[in-house]
Amino acid sequence: MEIIEQTNKTVLFDEINPEKYNILTLIGETRNVESLSDEKVQEINAALCVSSFDEFLYKFSPTVYSYFDAAGQRVLYTLKKPDLPENFVTEIPITEGNDFLKMLTTLMSAKRAQGTVNVDFKFENLLDLISPGKVIEDIKQTRQEIHYTYDQYETLEEDDPKKLDVGDKLNKLFEEASANYNNALAMLPLAIEDAKTRLLLGGEQASAGGEPLRIGTLSMSEGGELKILELPKTEKTALVTTGGKSEAGLVTAFEEDFYAVNEEENASPYLKALVVRTFCPLAAASAEIDVEKEAANYNSYLEFYKKSKDDFIKCVKPLIEKILGVKCFFDQYDVKSKEMQPKLLITNTSLDMLTKTSNLARFNTYLKTVNCKNDFSNTIWFGIVPSVDVDASGKRTVTRERFKGHEKAGVGVVRGSSTLENLGILLDAVKDYRVQIFYSFRTGEDTTFDRLATEGVDQYVSKSAPLMRRDFSEFAVPCLPNFTVIPKERSGVILDKAMEIDENGVPKLSENDIQKLWIEGIYVGAAYVAAGCVAAYQCPQFLKEKKFKPISPEYPGVRFDVEHKNNALQIPTTMAKEIYGLTENVKSSINRKGFGFVFSSENAKFGKTEIKNVTVYKARSLSEVDNEFESVYKTLVSTYIHRILTYVTNDMKEDNIAFFFSNNPDSQKSKWMATSEYVNSVLQKGDELSHSIDVQNGRCDINISLSGSTRNLDVLISRSKAAV
């Protein structure tokens, strides 16, 4: 580890936020440029390289933009900032606080904790986290914290230093609360629940008595009879202050804060009252309501919210799947001591843009800079290409829509920008820099565990055929199947029921008119998880914390074979099981073909521990030897040896190469052979390392035998004075 400190830096070939710089912009023009400067590499790292999911969200700020269409009376969403005046565009940051992302991450955590397969998991219990009622629950928590902190603030003396500390905390809470004051769409859940609460306040009692609720107090008549007397309007207004001085102070504080964020002449009085009622609910009791108007507003809000949320989800879904993919990549490194933490460099541009001839030349210059020098701190080892599109052959085109469906004549399903052709161009370029590319096919119900269980791996083999038996095949790693966060057929979300008024004028929720939307499935590309697994077990501390013995702190996990014995069971992924398992015929087919980086959702035990997560079943590239696909680690070991050889021999000097492979106890080969007992040894027992030098042609032929399979490296040598 003294020479090469990391073997897991990974590059993601995808666009996250088009408003942020991409790698092509940062590299700049490279004509007549052999290498980028150190300052340029640092600039690229500062802008595009992340070491955690939190840093990823901070640096790339994934964002959806919304604006209003007055003609169609609807909200439009886009992932690229529209060319409109700033005050007509609303930015919706996709942070961990976003209700949709929060719902998905909560669902994934719950599923992992339960260890339940998809068919048994109660998705509906968590999908309603994006309903207005659940959104309000988060606001209630914030409200409680504001009230608690404000009470503390009011009780402290003016000169007490602690009051300033509490004031800082209160400012942060108000900042959170005020984030959406001027965003009518974000305020819709508040408006829906506010109208619903006021309409149904005392709804059960009103239904029983046949009259709307009227707030009153308990009293006794002169004859001693109990009576509830309706309060006069003046006393109703006084209810606002029943919370004491602090409640009245908060009402004033929120009114002033609302007008501070919004210009008073343009601010909506209704939104101001809504904010006050939301964070100071006692104020709600002071106002008389027009039941019919309020019910109509409620139904209008709910319908608009449903349509807007539906459009938002359709727009944000591709971005959300990328965000979850990045999260899953980092999640695989689930250890406390982060000695060789995986790093992810995000190109922030589409693969079709990157693989254009002029742009690819720029990226080649970058790879030459970081992968062809004897400093390995910025070396790229792996790449991720998620969601590769492959046109379905033989699929009949529908020219006339007879029934409602996803595809209409002339309108196709939205597809990604990574094609098999783009992938082939990329692989041909990166092979010279020995970057292993993990790729997966477009997400959807066709590439799930369910489909693998019923159809096997044949579709993946046929789709990957154009990449086989090529010079770059050993650097291509097909990953399958993709992971299901929410199955398409179980992605319905009930938002709420419509409001209706009975013959007595009492509002109630409808039993038949239910507002529901469909997410239509959320998936994560297998390439993120596969690359995350391999990047994680490069770290010797990761292997040590996973109870592998013995582990050498001197070596990375390049020789670690995840398929060997029970290695895969000892380091399961963080992904929850999806299906009950595969049939013997499908498993036999996978074993016979030995194709791809395949994940398994099987019942298994390691020692006394029941494995509840998905595990790695196969870890193969597209390189074939004797009609069998080779393990991913074999290419990785070859790359590692090549880079160590380059460093130790001072750029392939002939006499240094001879010493590298000699039997001298101080030679690199001897050191590796003497430490073959470790789980993460570069050379294991039975492995061989030999070379032969062609002096006439100035070449060195290196043979690396790993588990009985021999690989060849052919390198140019640099004749030193000693050799001459």
Side-chain angles (χ1 to χ4, degrees):
M1 299 295 287
E2 290 181 4
I3 299 174
I4 297 180
E5 295 180 354
Q6 62 87 19
T7 56
N8 56 4
K9 189 170 183 180
T10 307
V11 56
L12 170 61
F13 296 95
D14 214 338
E15 183 179 64
I16 301 297
N17 187 344
E19 298 304 311
K20 298 287 184 179
Y21 290 132
N22 62 50
I23 197 165
L24 298 174
T25 302
L26 292 172
I27 291 172
E29 182 55 61
T30 58
R31 288 181 187 176
N32 303 318
V33 174
E34 181 67 18
S35 173
L36 303 179
S37 67
D38 291 347
E39 290 76 15
K40 178 59 70 175
V41 173
Q42 286 183 345
E43 182 186 5
I44 291 170
N45 285 338
L48 304 178
C49 189
V50 296
S51 301
S52 68
F53 182 59
D54 288 340
E55 187 182 6
F56 161 74
L57 290 178
Y58 174 76
K59 273 192 179 180
F60 286 88
S61 306
T63 303
V64 176
Y65 302 91
S66 71
Y67 54 99
F68 296 96
D69 173 22
Q73 289 294 296
R74 59 177 184 161
V75 187
L76 300 177
Y77 298 94
T78 176
L79 297 179
K80 294 187 178 181
K81 194 171 185 178
D83 294 326
L84 294 170
E86 290 285 339
N87 56 327
F88 286 96
V89 178
T90 300
E91 294 185 3
I92 306 172
I94 309 301
T95 64
E96 289 186 285
N98 176 269
D99 61 342
F100 189 47
L101 181 59
K102 189 191 298 182
M103 179 269 287
L104 294 172
T105 55
T106 302
L107 189 151
M108 291 172 71
S109 298
K111 194 168 181 293
R112 180 166 60 243
Q114 291 183 18
T116 309
V117 297
N118 291 343
V119 72
D120 293 330
F121 187 73
K122 304 295 183 184
F123 289 95
E124 60 275 10
N125 291 345
L126 291 170
L127 286 175
D128 70 345
L129 288 176
I130 60 173
S131 67
K134 293 295 183 180
V135 172
I136 290 296
E137 286 185 5
D138 290 338
I139 293 173
K140 285 180 179 178
Q141 177 61 36
T142 302
R143 181 176 73 197
Q144 190 178 66
E145 291 177 20
I146 287 175
H147 279 248
Y148 173 76
T149 309
Y150 189 81
D151 286 342
Q152 279 188 314
Y153 184 80
E154 285 293 290
T155 56
L156 293 169
E157 296 181 20
E158 286 300 318
D159 297 329
D160 191 338
K162 188 178 179 182
K163 186 162 189 170
L164 299 178
D165 296 334
V166 176
D168 289 337
K169 185 177 180 181
L170 200 56
N171 283 330
K172 289 179 181 178
L173 289 169
F174 263 76
E175 190 69 27
E176 290 178 20
S178 66
N180 295 311
Y181 282 174
N182 57 356
N183 183 354
L185 186 61
M187 299 291 280
L188 265 181
L190 277 67
I192 291 168
E193 285 303 301
D194 175 69
K196 178 180 174 182
T197 300
R198 292 188 294 136
L199 282 165
L200 298 182
L201 187 63
E204 292 182 5
Q205 297 92 325
S207 298
E211 291 185 8
L213 174 73
R214 291 172 182 170
I215 299 296
T217 60
L218 183 64
S219 182
M220 286 189 180
S221 68
E222 291 181 4
E225 296 173 333
L226 284 174
K227 271 195 172 184
I228 298 177
L229 302 176
E230 184 181 358
L231 288 178
K233 288 186 179 180
T234 54
E235 292 186 44
K236 287 183 183 179
T237 305
L239 274 176
V240 181
T241 61
T242 57
K245 181 182 177 182
S246 64
E247 183 76 22
L250 266 179
V251 170
T252 303
F254 271 107
E255 287 177 342
E256 292 175 350
D257 193 47
F258 181 83
Y259 286 127
V261 174
N262 299 274
E263 295 180 7
E264 190 162 347
E265 60 272 15
N266 299 323
S268 164
Y270 177 79
L271 283 181
K272 186 267 293 181
L274 178 60
V275 168
V276 173
R277 285 198 300 269
T278 299
F279 291 98
C280 303
L282 287 176
S286 65
E288 292 284 353
I289 64 169
D290 182 333
V291 172
E292 288 192 3
K293 182 179 180 180
E294 202 73 40
N297 283 345
Y298 169 85
N299 289 331
S300 173
Y301 297 156
L302 188 58
E303 186 177 348
F304 193 85
Y305 180 78
K306 184 251 182 186
K307 180 69 175 75
S308 299
K309 201 71 174 178
D310 195 33
D311 291 341
F312 171 77
I313 289 172
K314 282 182 171 61
C315 172
V316 80
K317 212 164 73 165
L319 176 60
I320 283 286
E321 290 188 343
K322 295 175 187 179
I323 292 171
L324 292 177
V326 172
K327 185 178 189 307
C328 290
F329 171 83
F330 285 113
D331 280 352
Q332 305 317 307
Y333 190 68
D334 58 341
V335 290
K336 295 177 181 178
S337 301
K338 302 186 182 299
E339 292 189 358
M340 194 201 290
Q341 190 168 354
K343 291 184 178 179
L344 190 64
L345 180 78
I346 299 168
T347 62
N348 202 34
T349 187
S350 60
L351 188 60
D352 64 341
M353 176 63 74
L354 187 79
T355 51
K356 290 180 180 178
T357 305
S358 58
N359 293 338
L360 194 59
R362 294 187 185 189
F363 188 64
N364 277 339
T365 303
Y366 171 76
L367 285 180
K368 189 184 297 183
T369 303
V370 297
N371 277 33
C372 295
K373 294 182 178 180
N374 282 346
D375 177 85
F376 304 102
S377 57
N378 292 299
T379 299
I380 303 293
W381 295 78
F382 309 121
I384 300 172
V385 177
S387 201
V388 175
D389 278 335
V390 178
D391 292 331
S393 58
K395 193 174 182 179
R396 183 175 296 178
T397 303
V398 177
T399 57
R400 182 165 66 88
E401 185 183 32
R402 296 159 177 84
F403 304 96
K404 185 177 180 180
H406 289 291
E407 295 190 25
K408 298 180 180 180
V411 180
V413 176
V414 176
R415 297 180 182 272
S417 58
S418 299
T419 65
L420 210 62
E421 291 75 20
N422 296 145
L423 179 58
I425 294 170
L426 177 69
L427 285 164
D428 192 50
V430 302
K431 74 178 189 300
D432 297 329
Y433 308 101
R434 304 194 66 83
V435 179
Q436 292 175 269
I437 302 295
F438 294 79
Y439 70 91
S440 49
F441 291 105
R442 184 164 55 89
T443 55
E445 63 269 29
D446 292 337
T447 54
T448 60
F449 277 86
D450 276 325
R451 195 58 62 92
L452 176 66
T454 56
E455 298 182 4
V457 297
D458 288 346
Q459 66 158 325
Y460 298 98
V461 177
S462 61
K463 287 177 180 178
S464 297
L467 305 178
M468 297 178 190
R469 300 176 184 87
R470 305 290 295 273
D471 290 343
F472 54 68
S473 294
E474 68 171 305
F475 300 101
V477 185
C479 307
L480 60 132
N482 293 326
F483 292 85
T484 302
V485 179
I486 303 174
K488 182 178 179 179
E489 67 279 5
R490 299 182 63 188
S491 62
V493 183
I494 295 176
L495 297 176
D496 215 324
K497 298 177 180 180
M499 189 73 68
E500 56 187 32
I501 302 172
D502 66 14
E503 62 275 8
N504 297 314
V506 177
K508 64 177 183 178
L509 293 175
S510 172
E511 293 299 323
N512 302 315
D513 191 354
I514 299 173
Q515 292 290 350
K516 185 176 183 178
L517 62 81
W518 289 87
I519 297 174
E520 297 192 1
I522 297 290
Y523 307 90
V524 171
Y528 289 106
V529 184
C533 288
V534 179
Y537 66 63
Q538 292 309 302
C539 175
Q541 185 61 32
F542 174 89
L543 295 173
K544 186 176 181 180
E545 287 195 28
K546 296 296 181 179
K547 309 301 182 186
F548 285 98
K549 295 179 181 179
I551 294 294
S552 171
E554 299 299 318
Y555 302 130
V558 292
R559 177 61 176 81
F560 182 80
D561 182 3
V562 71
E563 290 184 43
H564 184 61
K565 294 184 178 179
N566 290 321
N567 287 355
L569 300 181
Q570 205 163 337
I571 52 168
T573 70
T574 61
M575 310 301 289
K577 280 185 184 177
E578 302 218 1
I579 59 175
Y580 285 124
L582 304 173
T583 65
E584 288 302 319
N585 285 340
V586 171
K587 282 193 281 190
S588 296
S589 173
I590 294 173
N591 288 326
R592 187 172 61 255
K593 291 182 171 64
F595 169 87
F597 201 108
V598 185
F599 291 101
S600 169
S601 178
E602 298 275 323
N603 292 326
K605 275 191 174 184
F606 178 70
K608 295 181 180 180
T609 304
E610 184 179 353
I611 307 301
K612 293 185 177 182
N613 291 356
V614 166
T615 58
V616 177
Y617 191 60
K618 297 289 179 186
R620 310 291 178 90
S621 69
L622 292 183
S623 175
E624 293 179 84
V625 175
D626 299 329
N627 295 319
E628 183 176 337
F629 292 102
E630 285 207 301
S631 296
V632 168
Y633 80 85
K634 294 185 178 181
T635 296
L636 192 52
V637 171
S638 301
T639 300
Y640 183 79
I641 290 176
H642 181 273
R643 287 173 179 161
I644 290 289
L645 180 66
T646 303
Y647 181 90
V648 171
T649 61
N650 197 11
D651 290 330
M652 301 298 180
K653 287 187 169 58
E654 183 181 343
D655 54 342
N656 291 341
I657 291 176
F659 182 77
F660 185 97
F661 291 100
S662 72
N663 292 324
N664 188 302
D666 292 328
S667 74
Q668 188 63 62
K669 175 185 173 180
S670 296
K671 290 178 181 177
W672 282 340
M673 297 301 290
T675 55
S676 60
E677 73 277 8
Y678 293 107
V679 172
N680 60 329
S681 298
V682 177
L683 296 176
Q684 305 275 322
K685 291 180 180 179
D687 293 346
E688 302 260 346
L689 186 62
S690 61
H691 81 296
S692 61
I693 295 178
D694 182 351
V695 177
Q696 187 174 354
N697 294 309
R699 308 192 74 87
C700 177
D701 187 57
I702 303 166
N703 293 312
I704 307 170
S705 178
L706 304 169
S707 300
S709 172
T710 301
R711 304 177 63 81
N712 178 266
L713 283 175
D714 185 39
V715 298
L716 290 171
I717 62 176
S718 172
R719 292 189 176 92
S720 64
K721 292 181 180 179
V724 174

